């Protein structure tokens, strides 16, 4: 079992920055991939970014590339999402997710944290 707890959401204005954090605990594997997803009201959940724990390889959705940065702190078992130049369309519930390796599906999810960007 893996437990994920997000924090750092809030209400910000267009152009502001915000950093989300995700604390992972439980039985985590060194081969894991940690991801951030978001879901806006009335929309499907969408991929935002992910990071390979073993080598730090990252991937981003086109809509956030160049504005968001995903990172990890292996010592603290934390993953972060630094969000810059926020736009109203970034408003969503952001969730952290875990998968055991690049070949597996995301099996564990956090409860989510709300990010609201006002215009």
């Amino acid at each position: 079992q893996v437990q994920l707890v997000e924090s750092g959401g809030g209400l910000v204005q267009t152009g502001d920055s915000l950093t989300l954090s995700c604390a992972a605990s439980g039985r985590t594997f060194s081969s894991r991939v940690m991801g951030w997803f978001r879901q806006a009201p009335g929309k499907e959940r969408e991929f935002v970014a992910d990071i390979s724990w073993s080598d730090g390889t990252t991937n981003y959705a086109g809509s956030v590339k160049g504005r968001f940065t995903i990172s990890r702190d292996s010592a603290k078992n934390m993953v972060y999402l630094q969000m810059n130049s926020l736009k109203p369309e970034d408003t969503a519930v952001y969730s952290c997710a875990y998968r055991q390796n690049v070949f597996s599906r995301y099996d564990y999810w956090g409860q989510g944290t709300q990010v609201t960007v006002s215009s």
Side-chain angles (χ1 to χ4, degrees):
Q1 288 285 342
V2 175
Q3 294 78 42
L4 304 172
V5 179
E6 304 97 334
S7 60
L11 173 63
V12 297
Q13 295 185 334
T14 297
D16 283 352
S17 297
L18 200 61
T19 299
L20 305 181
S21 301
C22 174
S25 61
R27 191 182 180 194
T28 56
F29 288 82
S30 59
S31 59
R32 64 189 177 276
V33 176
M34 301 291 294
W36 285 99
F37 290 74
R38 67 186 182 186
Q39 187 167 21
K43 294 188 177 182
E44 296 285 320
R45 182 170 60 197
E46 64 174 355
F47 169 80
V48 175
D50 68 15
I51 185 166
S52 172
W53 210 260
S54 59
D55 63 8
T57 301
T58 58
N59 295 288
Y60 296 92
S63 59
V64 307
K65 201 168 188 177
R67 298 188 299 124
F68 290 12
T69 302
I70 188 171
S71 62
R72 74 200 191 294
D73 184 327
S74 298
K76 295 181 179 179
N77 218 9
M78 298 281 292
V79 63
Y80 305 97
L81 185 69
Q82 171 69 41
M83 305 183 292
N84 298 326
S85 303
L86 282 163
K87 306 175 183 179
E89 51 263 44
D90 294 318
T91 295
V93 174
Y94 285 71
S95 298
C96 177
Y98 167 101
R99 53 178 171 151
Q100 188 169 323
N101 56 60
V102 296
F103 305 108
S104 62
R105 64 180 183 180
Y106 283 100
D107 282 330
Y108 298 97
W109 298 81
Q111 81 287 353
T113 185
Q114 177 71 46
V115 173
T116 303
V117 185
S118 64
S119 56

